[in-house]
């Protein structure tokens, strides 16, 4: 083959190769959304399925919800790039950002800037409503459960407020607390009497009460914590390079712009237990990082 023709063949092959590579890359760009599994999987699938549809329509890219098995798995999947955009609790969000330099806090719900946990008790426990934080001492010797070990509202902050009242995990019956795994499970276990008391996030408690899933004759709130910042959206670095300039900011704008003006958007906001999302930044969670380090959850 003459030299000129060989060069033409090589050049054509190179162009085709580049074209195939670009096409494959474009076709493979799916935004993978995840969340800490803080509630039952059925609700999370419905919640994030609706959100994925809304994000896909607004961002004009395929969006897929990728469930994970536990809180630590959500942090790990974010660090390794298996998840691009994750709904983290306060503690897991801090852990994820510390392990993923360049990750960006995008937004929180209107209820997350001043979030609260509730302590609940089974009616047969003998526990009385708590009027001051110091009265948390009455939990000593009781069978007590947190939610997930890495939950901000189901473990970190309740343990922090108990520590201020000189109550440690070793003070519970059996010398340690239980870990139910999720807020829903904490309600079920305290209501059944498997545990005499527990702590969980107030938004989940309220939604279960509203849905008629709580028997007031068996379980009730005995204390509400002071406020603290909690859940937030965190995006991986590099999304602008993969999806185009300004993509991360478009995600933030889409989340903050969600209004209950369509059935799907109303469903999303209702499932999140929020009226809207608001801007958030990493410094909003400095207090959570400080508590996490004090309790050994961040090293």
């Amino acid at each position: 083959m003459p030299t000129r023709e060989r060069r033409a063949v090589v050049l054509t092959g190179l162009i085709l190769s580049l074209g195939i590579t670009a096409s494959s890359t474009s076709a493979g760009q799916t935004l993978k959304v995840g969340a800490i599994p803080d509630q039952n999987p059925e609700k999370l699938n419905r919640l994030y399925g609706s959100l994925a549809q809304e994000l896909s329509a607004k961002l004009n890219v395929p969006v897929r919800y990728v469930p994970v098995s536990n809180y630590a798995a959500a942090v790990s999947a974010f660090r390794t790039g298996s998840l691009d955009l994750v709904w983290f609790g306060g503690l897991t969000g801090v852990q994820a950002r510390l392990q993923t330099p360049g990750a960006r806090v995008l937004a929180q719900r209107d209820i997350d800037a001043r979030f609260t946990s509730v302590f609940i008790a089974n009616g047969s426990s003998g526990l009385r409503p708590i009027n001051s934080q110091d009265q948390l001492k009455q939990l000593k010797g009781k069978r007590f459960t947190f939610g997930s070990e890495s939950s901000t509202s189901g473990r970190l902050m309740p343990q922090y407020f108990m520590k201020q009242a000189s109550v440690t995990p070793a003070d519970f019956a059996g010398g340690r607390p239980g870990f139910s795994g999720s807020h829903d499970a904490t309600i079920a276990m305290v209501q059944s009497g498997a545990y005499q008391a527990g702590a969980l996030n107030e938004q989940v408690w309220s939604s279960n009460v509203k849905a008629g899933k709580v028997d007031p004759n068996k379980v009730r709130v005995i204390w509400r914590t002071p406020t603290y910042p909690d859940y937030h959206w965190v995006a991986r670095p590099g999304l602008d390079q993969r999806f185009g300039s300004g993509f991360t900011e478009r995600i933030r704008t889409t989340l903050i712009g969600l209004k209950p003006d369509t059935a799907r958007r109303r469903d999303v906001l209702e499932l999140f237990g929020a009226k809207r999302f608001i801007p958030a930044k990493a410094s909003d969670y400095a207090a959570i990082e400080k508590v996490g380090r004090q309790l050994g959850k961040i090293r």
Side-chain angles (χ1 to χ4, degrees):
M1 181 183 294
T3 301
R4 178 180 294 179
E5 291 183 11
R6 284 203 303 273
R7 288 176 177 171
V9 169
V10 171
L11 181 60
T12 301
L14 180 60
I15 292 172
L16 287 173
S17 174
L18 288 173
I20 290 170
T21 300
S23 175
S24 299
T25 300
S26 176
Q29 293 302 327
T30 296
L31 183 71
K32 292 162 289 186
V33 178
I36 53 172
D38 62 343
Q39 300 183 61
N40 72 71
E42 180 183 348
K43 179 173 182 178
L44 294 180
N45 284 329
R46 187 158 64 96
L47 170 60
Y48 290 98
S50 297
L51 180 68
Q53 292 176 23
E54 183 65 25
L55 289 176
S56 183
K58 285 287 187 180
L59 300 171
N60 197 31
V61 299
V63 179
R64 180 164 57 94
Y65 168 56
V66 182
V68 295
S69 57
N70 54 52
Y71 286 42
V75 174
S76 177
F78 185 79
R79 181 186 68 247
T80 60
S82 297
L83 292 173
D84 300 312
L85 175 68
V86 178
W87 180 240
F88 282 118
L91 175 61
T92 47
V94 172
Q95 291 172 328
R97 285 187 286 109
L98 290 175
Q99 296 178 26
T100 315
R104 180 181 168 190
V105 175
L106 299 184
Q108 61 182 197
R109 296 172 299 189
D110 51 350
I111 60 174
D112 286 312
R114 296 177 58 79
F115 209 73
T116 52
S117 298
V118 289
F119 282 66
I120 60 175
N122 186 281
S124 65
S125 66
L127 291 165
R128 303 178 304 278
I130 292 173
N131 299 314
S132 68
Q133 191 173 338
D134 184 62
Q135 293 176 354
L136 286 170
K137 289 186 176 68
Q138 68 171 299
L139 293 170
K140 291 185 177 182
K142 301 296 184 182
R143 298 191 309 276
F144 186 91
T145 185
F146 292 117
S148 167
E149 293 193 31
S150 296
S151 171
T152 304
S153 53
R155 190 271 178 86
L156 185 77
M157 296 311 295
Q159 184 176 341
Y160 171 71
F161 292 122
M162 284 192 289
K163 182 181 179 183
Q164 290 183 323
S166 300
V167 179
T168 72
D171 291 322
F172 297 128
R176 60 183 180 182
F179 289 97
S180 69
S182 73
H183 302 293
D184 298 298
T186 296
I187 296 174
M189 289 182 175
V190 175
Q191 182 163 285
S192 72
Y195 287 93
Q196 294 170 294
L200 71 151
N201 96 42
E202 184 165 12
Q203 186 265 330
V204 174
W205 168 261
S206 298
S207 65
N208 275 267
V209 170
K210 185 178 179 181
K213 297 180 179 179
V214 175
D215 185 344
N217 295 315
K218 295 182 178 178
V219 60
R220 64 181 185 278
V221 172
I222 58 171
W223 191 59
R224 178 174 290 104
T225 69
T227 62
Y228 55 86
D230 204 347
Y231 292 79
H232 52 299
W233 285 107
V234 184
R236 270 189 60 80
L239 296 186
D240 289 6
Q241 287 71 35
R242 287 173 51 201
F243 293 95
S245 178
F247 186 79
T248 305
E249 184 60 24
R250 287 177 57 206
I251 297 175
R252 191 181 77 92
T253 302
T254 298
L255 290 170
I256 294 171
L258 275 176
K259 298 177 181 177
D261 52 357
T262 68
R264 184 167 65 197
R265 293 168 192 162
R266 277 195 299 275
D267 192 35
V268 169
L269 290 173
E270 183 176 338
L271 286 168
F272 268 97
K275 294 181 179 178
R276 62 193 177 101
F277 289 98
I278 61 176
K281 55 186 183 301
S283 60
D284 294 337
Y285 297 90
I288 293 295
E289 180 175 350
K290 182 178 179 180
V291 172
R293 293 187 186 281
Q294 288 177 0
L295 299 185
K297 297 300 295 181
I298 299 173
R299 301 182 187 280

